Each structure stands twice: as C-alpha cells, then as structure tokens.
Amino acid sequence: MIGTLNALIDLVDRNTDEPIDLAGFARSHGTTEYHLRRMFASLAGMPFSEYVRRRRMTLAATDLVSSDTGLLDLAVCYGYSSVEAFGRAFRSVHGVSPSDVRAHGGPFVTQAVLRFRLTVEGSRPMDVTITDRPAFVLAGHAAQVPLIYEGVNPHIQQHIASIAPEEHARLKSLNDTEPAGILAVTAGSEPDAPEGTPITYLHGVALQADSTVPEDLSSIPVSAGAWATFRSSGPFPQTLQETWAATATEWFPSNPWRLRPGPTFVRYLELTGSHADAEIWMPVERS
C-alpha cells in the first residue's frame, strides 16, 4: 500500500491536465478506490482530491511567475475549461488571483510533493480479531452530524443525551445478534471525507437480517463479510482516536486486508468518566 500511494503521488505530477482515473489506478495495483481513498486521507491528513487541487495550483503558480503563458492556456494545462474556473480554484488555494501572482510574484502557497513512508516502531502491538459475519441490520436513533476527527464530537453527545434512559433499555432488548450491546455507528460519508462533512451517526444495536425493525427507528442494512475488530483501552476519547488512526498508519499497510464499503462502529465494553474499553469494528476484505 505504501508503494501504491507513492505511485499515485507520482501520477498526479505527470497528469496535470485531466482527471485522475483513481478507480482504474486502484484496479491496476490490486486494490479498490474505496480503500485507496481511505488510506490516502488517513495518512496524508487530507482527501486525495484536495491534494490534487493544491498540487496543481502550486505548479500553476510557478508557471505564472516563470513564464508568459496565457491564462486560458494555463487553465487548460491544469484541467480547467475556463479562466473563471481556474481562477476560483487558484484563489481557493492561494487566497489571491492568478493575475495578482503574475503581477507581483506572489505571495502564494506551495504544496510539496507528498512521500509516504512506513516507520516500524513495534512499540504498541495492536489487538485485532478477524471474523466473518452474516448480513445483519443496525437499528436505532440516527442524526446528521458534522465529521470531527479529534476530540469529543459535541453534536453526537447532544444526540445521545436526547435519548431517554428507558429507550436505551428498549434498544438492548431488540439486540438479537452479535455484536452485542449499544453501538456507536458512523455511515453515509465518502471514504476520504474532510472534517466537517455531514455524516450519519446512529446510536443503536445489531439485529438479525430478518428481524423486524420498529417503525420509529432508523436502520442501516449491512452486507455479509469479514470484519476487523480492534480493541482499545485507555483515556477517552484520545486512546480510541489514536487506535483508529493506527489502523491506517500501522495495521493496514502491514497486513493483507483492505477496507470494503460499509458502516464502521464502536462497541463500548466499559465507559467510566474519562476511561473507555472499546472495540472498533471495520468491514474488510482480503487484498
């Protein structure tokens, strides 16, 4: 995966005038677009589309100050059909217009070429279990919330607080399959969604595929397949988020598995104040 990501980075600079065929690239490297986008965003800290835009606008700024190429020709060179669209993309990255940079030489922002490396430390073994599960349904109370990668998500907290205590007991009584207990489910976002993107958060339980879901509850069907379950124990939410990040930086690059489309969720085994014992469930397939 590290080699594949670096090959993708090289492709970005070689193809500045047309969209990157990420699906085709993923197939040619024995992986999927979904997994590639998730790994890129997790390791780079930005979606692939954002890196492409920043990198192309960096190269465009260099051309502006070092050549007299017309703006329309530059727009076409970097994949835009009009000067206006090129100008909007340029300003979104640099905060100034192409004409300002041409006239004054800057200032403009540069996006360096990324290079992915796998650092093997071995300081923290990851406790993971791979299981095959039949199709099931996630049912519970859902809400649209903004995606937040670090710290407590106050929108999720507010949603959970709005659920009456007796409703938690009812949800547990509906749970008729593994994984057992209340689950914190996230779904409905692109694999490389930036922070702030609306996602679906569902506070609910797992039901068998043929179980009846009460009409007042939302549901998410889950296809049969393999699941990687990562155990996390420590200060909440820091340890949980660090474990989530380590799946991308340590586990997936070192193991013959990749993510497949589907919801991810957390099963809390114990949550007391600022400490949590939990499991992160991710849908996976052999790579």
Side-chain angles (χ1 to χ4, degrees), residues 37 40-42 44-52 54 192-195:
R37 286 187 181 275
F40 187 99
S42 296
M46 72 180 87
F48 176 69
S49 58
E50 175 67 12
Y51 173 75
V52 171
R54 291 186 190 182
D192 55 355
E195 189 165 81

Side-chain angles (χ1 to χ4, degrees), residues 4 7-34 36-37 48-49 52 56 192:
T4 297
L8 180 60
I9 291 297
D10 294 338
L11 183 64
V12 171
D13 275 19
R14 291 200 310 269
N15 295 269
T16 62
D17 61 346
E18 58 187 19
I20 302 293
D21 180 11
L22 197 57
F25 177 88
R27 285 194 300 272
S28 69
H29 284 76
T31 187
T32 64
E33 180 182 1
Y34 184 90
L36 196 58
R37 286 187 181 275
F48 176 69
S49 58
V52 171
R56 288 182 174 179
D192 55 355

Side-chain angles (χ1 to χ4, degrees), residues 126-140:
M126 298 193 71
D127 184 350
V128 60
T129 303
I130 306 292
T131 55
D132 281 308
R133 299 287 304 139
F136 60 96
V137 174
L138 295 166

Side-chain angles (χ1 to χ4, degrees), residues 12-283:
V12 171
D13 275 19
R14 291 200 310 269
N15 295 269
T16 62
D17 61 346
E18 58 187 19
I20 302 293
D21 180 11
L22 197 57
F25 177 88
R27 285 194 300 272
S28 69
H29 284 76
T31 187
T32 64
E33 180 182 1
Y34 184 90
H35 182 69
L36 196 58
R37 286 187 181 275
R38 281 283 293 267
M39 291 300 99
F40 187 99
S42 296
L43 295 172
M46 72 180 87
F48 176 69
S49 58
E50 175 67 12
Y51 173 75
V52 171
R53 186 169 62 93
R54 291 186 190 182
R55 186 64 191 148
R56 288 182 174 179
M57 292 304 98
T58 295
L59 297 173
T62 300
D63 284 346
L64 278 169
V65 300
S66 62
S67 74
D68 57 1
T69 305
L71 289 183
L72 180 57
D73 289 336
L74 278 178
V76 172
C77 179
Y78 290 102
Y80 295 88
S81 59
S82 69
V83 171
E84 291 75 17
F86 173 68
R88 287 193 296 270
F90 192 93
R91 185 180 289 276
S92 71
V93 171
H94 301 296
V96 294
S97 69
S99 57
D100 289 335
V101 170
R102 169 150 284 174
H104 306 292
F108 57 88
V109 178
T110 59
Q111 171 63 60
V113 175
L114 290 180
R115 190 56 58 188
F116 294 94
R117 293 182 176 87
L118 178 61
T119 301
V120 180
E121 296 179 349
S123 59
R124 183 180 60 179
M126 298 193 71
D127 184 350
V128 60
T129 303
I130 306 292
T131 55
D132 281 308
R133 299 287 304 139
F136 60 96
V137 174
L138 295 166
H141 295 275
Q144 289 289 109
V145 300
L147 178 62
I148 295 177
Y149 284 112
E150 294 185 9
V152 174
N153 189 320
H155 307 278
I156 291 178
Q157 283 190 314
Q158 183 178 7
H159 175 61
I160 295 173
S162 70
I163 302 173
E166 57 269 21
E167 186 61 16
H168 290 270
R170 180 173 77 118
L171 288 174
K172 290 180 179 179
S173 71
L174 294 172
N175 179 205
D176 60 5
T177 190
E178 290 293 328
I182 298 292
L183 309 174
V185 183
T186 55
S189 67
E190 292 298 315
D192 55 355
E195 189 165 81
T197 299
I199 61 171
T200 298
Y201 172 81
L202 183 137
H203 194 75
V205 293
L207 278 65
Q208 295 183 42
D210 57 355
S211 293
T212 300
V213 178
E215 292 185 0
D216 63 327
L217 298 181
S218 299
S219 63
I220 300 173
V222 181
S223 60
W227 291 82
T229 305
F230 300 89
R231 185 70 178 265
S232 173
S233 180
F236 178 80
Q238 295 93 333
T239 302
L240 185 64
Q241 291 170 341
E242 288 171 1
T243 301
W244 201 301
T247 64
T249 59
E250 300 175 22
W251 194 79
F252 280 109
S254 306
N255 290 277
W257 296 89
R258 65 190 179 200
L259 287 162
R260 58 183 173 89
T264 57
F265 53 86
V266 175
R267 181 167 80 111
Y268 291 102
L269 307 174
E270 183 180 1
L271 180 58
T272 55
S274 60
H275 182 94
D277 289 326
E279 294 174 345
I280 301 172
W281 287 62
M282 293 184 171

